[in-house]
Amino acid sequence: MVQRMIFGFDGNGIVEFPVEINWDLGFDRAAKLEYINRVCDAAYCRYGLDEVLDVTTANSSIENGRILSPHILKCYGGNMSVDDYFSEHGKNTLSPVMQKVAFAYYYMFSICHNAEAYILFDRYNYFFDVFWKIGCGDTQAYTCALLKKAICENKHKEFFKEFSGIGLIEFKNWFIKNYSMCGVKLKG
């Protein structure tokens, strides 16, 4: 059994739903899709969540959550993925806190400026990363929940209207205040 976390926004704050699934099929494409189905089934059985989306490259289902994978999603509508853009623009030069801030900013900005990704994102309130293990760094699933919060607070318009240093500084302050993944807070 492995534990996976589903992240969402309930109108008040970020919510986390841990589920356990059997991880016993290997790592081929069919196995990954089955693990995704198992997380979705566990989310429904344990919490009544029927609209959860895996946001990784493993998700090649009809819903195609893979377009929200930072390995696939194009940064600012360009030719470079969010993950590649982050690696090239500061991953190794920023402090650990600013790495979290910058990645979240690039990722959220890119969702807001990609119509296909935003339409899919907008349909869901709960997200997971089938590969992410609790306590092993950050996950874009948590970042999706934070974007839901930013939209609910109407902050996304000021943060992501255009890519600018001012938007990033304002976002940094909001992000540090609101970040609390699995009980871990940031200090900026």
Side-chain angles (χ1 to χ4, degrees), residues 14 20 24 31 34 47 55 64 85 88 103 109 172 174 182:
I14 305 299
E20 286 190 351
D24 56 356
E34 178 58 27
Y47 303 105
V55 290
N64 208 7
Y85 187 89
E88 192 171 293
F103 181 82
F109 189 96
K172 174 190 172 216
W174 178 88
C182 299

Side-chain angles (χ1 to χ4, degrees), residues 159-173:
F159 295 153
F160 309 121
K161 181 178 180 182
E162 60 185 50
F163 183 68
S164 69
I166 293 169
L168 182 56
I169 290 167
E170 292 171 2
F171 175 76
K172 174 190 172 216
N173 296 330

Side-chain angles (χ1 to χ4, degrees), residues 71-178:
H71 299 294
I72 304 292
L73 181 65
K74 299 300 181 204
C75 197
Y76 311 123
N79 295 326
M80 192 177 284
S81 73
V82 170
D83 195 53
D84 290 341
Y85 187 89
F86 175 65
S87 293
E88 192 171 293
H89 294 89
K91 181 178 181 178
N92 298 318
T93 60
L94 298 172
S95 70
V97 168
M98 281 308 297
Q99 284 183 24
K100 290 176 187 302
V101 170
F103 181 82
Y105 186 76
Y106 300 153
Y107 183 68
M108 291 179 184
F109 189 96
S110 297
I111 290 173
C112 289
H113 289 272
N114 178 313
E116 182 182 13
Y118 189 83
I119 289 167
L120 179 64
F121 165 82
D122 193 45
R123 287 188 48 221
Y124 290 85
N125 288 318
Y126 303 100
F127 307 91
F128 68 97
D129 175 340
V130 74
F131 301 117
W132 185 76
K133 298 176 187 174
I134 296 170
C136 293
D138 289 322
T139 171
Q140 65 269 19
Y142 182 79
T143 306
C144 284
L146 275 175
L147 180 53
K148 286 286 185 181
K149 180 175 175 54
I151 289 169
C152 182
E153 294 176 355
N154 213 24
K155 295 286 189 186
H156 67 297
K157 291 179 181 176
E158 66 187 78
F159 295 153
F160 309 121
K161 181 178 180 182
E162 60 185 50
F163 183 68
S164 69
I166 293 169
L168 182 56
I169 290 167
E170 292 171 2
F171 175 76
K172 174 190 172 216
N173 296 330
W174 178 88
F175 181 83
I176 289 172
K177 176 182 169 192
N178 288 282

Side-chain angles (χ1 to χ4, degrees), residues 53-54 56 59-68 116 120:
L53 181 66
D54 175 66
T56 68
N59 192 348
S60 58
S61 68
I62 294 169
E63 294 300 331
N64 208 7
R66 73 183 319 222
I67 65 171
L68 294 177
E116 182 182 13
L120 179 64

